[in-house]
Amino acid sequence: MKKWISIVLGLWLVTCVNAQVGGQLSGRVLLDDGKPGEQATISLLRQTDASLVKTALPDHTGFFEISGIPYGRYLLRITHSGYTAYTSTVFTIGDTLRIQQWPTISLQPAAASLGEVKVEARKPFIERKFDKLVVNVEGSIAAAGGNVLEVLERSPGVMVNAESGINLKGKQGVLVMFDGKPTPLSGADLVNYLRAIPSSSIQSIEIITQPSARYDAAGNAGIINIKFKKDQRQGFNGNLTIGTGQGRYFKPSAGTNLNYRKKKWNIFGNYAVAAPVTFTRFFINRKFFNPQREVTAVFDQTSFIKQRFNNHNAKWGIDFSPSKKTIIGVMFNASLSNNDRDGNTRSIVTRPDGSLQYTTATNTRLNGRNRNAFANFNFRHTFDSTGRELTMDADIGRYRSAAFQQFVNNYFDAGGLPTTSDRLKTDQLGTITLKSVKLDYVHPLPRRGRLEAGAKSSVVNTNSDVKFFNTIGGVDVPDRGQSNQFIYTENVNAAYVNIAREWKKINVQAGLRMEHTLTRGHQVTTGERFSRNYVLLFPSFVVNRQVGTHHSFSLGYSRRIDRPSYRQLNPFKIFVDPYTYVVGEPALKPVLTHAFELSHTLNNTYITSLSYTRSRDVITDVFAQDDITKVSYQIPANLQDFDQWNLGITIPVSVQKWLSGTISSSVYWNKYTSPLQGGNLVNDYASWDMNLNSSIVIGKKGWSAELTGFYQARNAWGLFIINNLA
């Protein structure tokens, strides 16, 4: 660890020492229809020989900025697939004009020509922008033949747990979005859905740790936005991708993207299929006590699970532009996923002196099916060239899952002879329906200001029906004591206002979001009902200060919420083996978080951040056990407090023209404190992680390779200490 820290600090110090005084260039790129040119490439060329000095990429509004420019005479060149390249006249960066604010540039569609100029550029796999971290999946070798979940596991600060879902920077509560639209899935359902999406259909993944008021307040740890591929070229275009991965098992995949764009119409679609095979191996050791706190039995369990997936994803849609200022679109998405899982668990039960009592062998078979469909209607109108625009989105979706599971338990005495056996079957059906409508308005203010306002209403309905059966004499007998049906409804109505203002060297953005939440739960089998009705305010702000031409500082704050998912609230049991099950808690409260972040950017490239997070009633899984029946169960609970300090650094490294990469690392301290099960919990631990992604150019014929690595040290999570992961 000391060696890695020395390397990172050494690179950072060398960068600071070699920093030179220079100028700054900024501007905005729009397409002919008024859309932001976020896919454009900005190139700064030397006037004498047109050699490349620096490049930049616009953000989602089309804004770009290049800092640390040596004094001299330059040309600005902007390229975009399907559009005529823009080349400026010669301009000078010097003592008399160090900061150049370029007028808004509108790109025009490229006319047909006999020749073709091909410009190729490779984005780094991990790219740090001002307000987010971008994982550029498209074109990455590391993503070939994989799925979105595997790409997320390579992303800095992201940890994936098959049951609890996704953690970011050691924190729970991540809002996952697809093309800016939140998904109602969570936990194991979300993990399985992400595993079903092949990485070949994804353009990039955005990790946003300090969202503005425009975003939903959900997600204590931040937002992960998964963006699908889009083709901006004119005419008919398409591509076919065939890939495979090889871990312990084979992971084949294939996909195609088609697009037809002409004048006012754009028709697009893609289809992907993947059939990966994965496995999970885990070990559990448990001790049971009598009232005098003396050990009465010890359980050692070893489990191996092999899963086969067959996933199909399709997306298609139409965009129509009745004028250059208006776009109307519809989009449909459907996915089908089948999951066959075979698992074997061996449990060895011993006495306190180590002598064997008995053993249990459990075979688990699961057949799961997921059928998801989603539709979106969108509208955008740009009033004028000042940036005033109105957008509207209406969404409807249905997520349906079905799973049939069978447990066969065989018991053996200390001599290895069979004693008894039993069978347990479950038939699980789950349906989630989502309806939402959102309206956003952007209005320019004098002196480089901007006002954003909007409203959103969403309703999510879930219906989970789990039936248990005991097999007696070859006949399946319903177990009504464990069967259950749970119906849950969540309605969130929100409104927000966000104001931004730019001065010469200071940018300020402040916003306030109000959300009204109404939830209702109904446990049909027992007749139990619960409801909650509350209104909360979520302020946020960020201040940016440019110091000289090389340094900028940013200070941000936001208040976030993490509402318990329907799976966490659902009180029915899901068995893992005869001695272990998972159960929900209807009394869970939402988690409220205050998040602060201070960051420093050097030469618009090297970023260091220090953040502090304070959460109340944080939700985490706890374990309880019955010392008589030897059965343990996992249940979510509200702990009292969670605190975290996090220091992160991102360093792009370019050793030679053929070798470049990015090092991302963070050091953080987690602390959980709460009264728990008659005692007081204090679990604090300092940890660190590092992510290395490098690109290697081989020869001059377009061949390349990538090398990636990730290390996660031991860290605190709820009641547990999670071992290191590489």
Side-chain angles (χ1 to χ4, degrees):
M1 175 177 173
K2 292 182 179 179
K3 182 179 179 181
W4 276 109
I5 293 176
S6 298
I7 293 174
V8 172
L9 291 178
L11 289 171
W12 184 78
L13 289 173
V14 169
T15 303
C16 294
V17 171
N18 291 329
Q20 299 177 358
V21 176
Q24 177 179 309
L25 173 69
S26 62
R28 193 176 303 278
V29 182
L30 300 177
L31 305 183
D32 64 310
D33 56 3
K35 287 183 177 180
E38 57 182 314
Q39 301 297 325
T41 299
I42 314 298
S43 302
L44 182 66
L45 309 178
R46 201 178 305 278
Q47 183 266 336
T48 55
D49 56 3
S51 60
L52 180 64
V53 179
K54 287 195 174 187
T55 61
L57 298 174
D59 62 14
H60 67 284
T61 68
F63 177 79
F64 68 88
E65 183 177 272
I66 303 176
S67 300
I69 305 173
Y71 292 167
R73 293 166 62 82
Y74 298 98
L75 296 169
L76 178 66
R77 182 173 175 81
I78 301 177
T79 58
H80 192 299
S81 179
Y83 290 83
T84 302
Y86 168 87
T87 303
S88 73
T89 56
V90 178
F91 62 95
T92 302
I93 296 290
D95 288 323
T96 58
L97 187 60
R98 292 174 54 192
I99 300 178
Q100 180 78 259
Q101 176 67 41
W102 211 261
T104 299
I105 300 164
S106 180
L107 300 180
Q108 300 301 315
S113 60
L114 296 177
E116 180 183 3
V117 177
K118 187 176 182 180
V119 179
E120 293 186 352
R122 179 180 292 272
K123 295 181 181 179
F125 179 64
I126 296 179
E127 183 180 9
R128 185 65 189 239
K129 294 190 177 182
F130 170 73
D131 61 340
K132 58 195 169 189
L133 191 73
V134 180
V135 181
N136 292 305
V137 182
E138 187 175 16
S140 169
I141 297 174
N147 55 61
V148 175
L149 190 68
E150 293 172 337
V151 179
L152 275 177
E153 289 176 320
R154 297 189 184 103
S155 303
V158 178
M159 289 187 62
V160 177
N161 182 290
E163 295 298 331
S164 62
I166 299 172
N167 297 338
L168 181 59
K169 288 188 175 182
K171 294 182 289 186
Q172 305 171 64
V174 180
L175 176 63
V176 176
M177 307 175 74
F178 295 94
D179 284 331
K181 301 172 179 61
T183 173
L185 300 177
S186 62
D189 293 330
L190 176 60
V191 169
N192 290 332
Y193 183 62
L194 293 173
R195 187 183 282 118
I197 303 176
S199 54
S200 60
S201 64
I202 298 300
Q203 174 183 315
S204 63
I205 298 174
E206 298 176 340
I207 301 175
I208 310 170
T209 55
Q210 284 287 339
S212 70
R214 180 168 185 152
Y215 294 96
D216 288 355
N220 285 325
I223 294 174
I224 294 178
N225 183 31
I226 299 171
K227 300 180 69 174
F228 288 89
K229 289 181 178 178
K230 296 179 181 178
D231 199 324
Q232 299 290 340
R233 293 174 293 179
Q234 295 290 319
F236 181 77
N237 300 280
N239 62 66
L240 175 65
T241 303
I242 299 176
T244 186
Q246 183 66 54
R248 179 165 181 170
Y249 300 107
F250 199 43
K251 302 177 182 180
S253 65
T256 181
N257 288 276
L258 301 174
N259 190 86
Y260 178 75
R261 183 185 295 271
K262 187 174 182 181
K263 295 182 179 179
K264 298 181 178 182
W265 293 92
N266 180 42
I267 304 173
F268 58 90
N270 61 58
Y271 169 74
V273 59
V277 180
T278 67
F279 77 95
T280 303
R281 186 188 299 274
F282 60 91
F283 308 91
I284 300 177
N285 176 269
R286 288 180 287 196
K287 295 180 180 179
F288 296 87
F289 302 85
N290 60 22
Q292 289 74 41
R293 303 302 297 169
E294 298 171 334
V295 176
T296 59
V298 179
F299 272 49
D300 275 301
Q301 293 178 262
T302 303
S303 298
F304 180 84
I305 300 172
K306 182 178 180 180
Q307 299 183 87
R308 303 172 183 85
F309 294 89
N310 189 351
N311 307 319
H312 300 264
N313 286 270
K315 179 181 178 181
W316 63 100
I318 300 174
D319 290 331
F320 173 62
S321 301
S323 69
K324 291 185 177 181
K325 296 182 178 181
T326 304
I327 300 175
I328 302 172
V330 292
M331 186 272 292
F332 304 91
N333 182 280
S335 67
L336 294 82
S337 176
N338 295 324
N339 169 25
D340 293 319
R341 183 170 68 183
D342 295 329
N344 292 285
T345 299
R346 180 174 175 82
S347 302
I348 302 175
V349 184
T350 58
R351 299 181 181 88
D353 60 4
S355 61
L356 180 65
Q357 277 190 286
Y358 60 90
T359 61
T360 304
T362 301
N363 175 259
T364 305
R365 297 182 62 87
L366 181 143
N367 177 258
R369 304 180 305 280
N370 293 279
R371 304 291 184 263
N372 306 318
F374 179 86
N376 166 261
F377 171 81
N378 57 84
F379 168 86
R380 181 168 70 181
H381 178 73
T382 303
F383 295 93
D384 48 44
S385 60
T386 63
R388 189 162 61 101
E389 72 173 21
L390 178 70
T391 60
M392 189 271 286
D393 278 275
D395 301 294
I396 184 170
R398 182 180 177 88
Y399 303 81
R400 183 174 177 82
S401 64
F404 176 78
Q405 193 169 13
Q406 177 177 268
F407 297 91
V408 179
N409 305 308
N410 295 298
Y411 301 87
F412 303 87
D413 61 20
L417 298 177
T419 55
T420 60
S421 65
D422 58 65
R423 292 173 180 263
L424 178 67
K425 295 181 180 179
T426 66
D427 191 0
Q428 307 177 36
L429 294 175
T431 303
I432 303 176
T433 58
L434 165 69
K435 298 177 183 178
S436 71
V437 61
K438 182 178 67 169
L439 193 68
D440 298 289
Y441 175 69
V442 179
H443 187 86
L445 298 176
R447 299 181 181 179
R448 302 174 67 183
R450 185 178 72 256
L451 170 68
E452 297 177 338
K456 179 181 178 181
S457 179
S458 66
V459 178
V460 178
N461 294 294
T462 67
N463 189 336
S464 300
D465 191 2
V466 177
K467 295 181 173 64
F468 283 81
F469 301 89
N470 294 309
T471 302
I472 302 175
V475 179
D476 293 338
V477 179
D479 186 341
R480 305 192 185 281
Q482 299 189 86
S483 300
N484 195 9
Q485 183 179 7
F486 182 70
I487 299 174
Y488 179 70
T489 301
E490 180 181 88
N491 173 219
V492 179
N493 301 298
Y496 77 91
V497 61
N498 201 63
I499 299 177
R501 177 74 184 277
E502 299 178 19
W503 285 272
K504 189 174 182 179
K505 292 187 177 182
I506 299 178
N507 299 336
V508 178
Q509 178 177 271
L512 181 65
R513 187 178 185 93
M514 181 189 71
E515 291 191 353
H516 167 242
T517 304
L518 176 62
T519 62
R520 294 188 180 92
H522 180 201
Q523 190 175 352
V524 177
T525 306
T526 63
E528 181 182 355
R529 297 177 182 268
F530 68 89
S531 65
R532 289 192 178 89
N533 188 349
Y534 54 91
V535 177
L536 294 173
L537 297 177
F538 301 95
S540 64
F541 76 85
V542 61
V543 180
N544 305 314
R545 173 77 162 108
Q546 185 74 31
V547 180
T549 58
H550 297 282
H551 302 272
S552 66
F553 294 87
S554 175
L555 176 63
Y557 162 78
S558 63
R559 190 189 193 207
R560 314 287 298 167
I561 187 173
D562 187 17
R563 300 177 182 88
S565 68
Y566 80 95
R567 181 181 284 272
Q568 292 174 319
L569 295 168
N570 193 343
F572 64 67
K573 301 175 182 177
I574 300 177
F575 277 85
V576 178
D577 57 59
Y579 308 108
T580 315
Y581 66 86
V582 179
V583 65
E585 173 55 76
L588 285 176
K589 297 180 291 184
V591 185
L592 293 175
T593 296
H594 298 275
F596 302 84
E597 185 171 85
L598 173 65
S599 65
H600 167 249
T601 304
L602 175 64
N603 289 338
N604 203 32
T605 303
Y606 305 90
I607 299 180
T608 306
S609 64
L610 175 65
S611 62
Y612 171 70
T613 298
R614 172 79 167 180
S615 298
R616 294 280 298 177
D617 299 320
V618 63
I619 299 174
T620 188
D621 292 327
V622 300
F623 276 89
Q625 62 186 32
D626 189 321
D627 293 324
I628 298 176
T629 63
K630 306 297 188 293
V631 174
S632 301
Y633 62 92
Q634 175 183 318
I635 184 171
N638 288 109
L639 300 186
Q640 183 169 303
D641 294 312
F642 168 70
D643 295 88
Q644 185 197 72
W645 287 93
N646 187 296
L647 175 65
I649 184 171
T650 300
I651 303 177
V653 179
S654 181
V655 181
Q656 297 287 341
K657 291 183 178 180
W658 56 271
L659 176 60
S660 61
T662 302
I663 298 174
S664 299
S665 181
S666 62
V667 179
Y668 56 89
W669 176 72
N670 289 350
K671 182 179 181 180
Y672 294 85
T673 56
S674 179
L676 182 67
Q677 297 178 357
N680 290 311
L681 168 72
V682 178
N683 187 15
D684 61 327
Y685 207 89
S687 182
W688 68 283
D689 61 53
M690 179 168 286
N691 190 298
L692 170 65
N693 291 272
S694 61
S695 176
I696 305 170
V697 178
I698 304 174
K700 298 181 179 180
K701 296 185 178 181
W703 290 92
S704 63
E706 291 183 358
L707 177 66
T708 64
F710 175 74
Y711 179 80
Q712 168 68 62
R714 288 162 58 95
N715 64 96
W717 182 71
L719 279 71
F720 312 102
I721 296 294
I722 300 178
N723 281 330
N724 57 309
L725 176 67

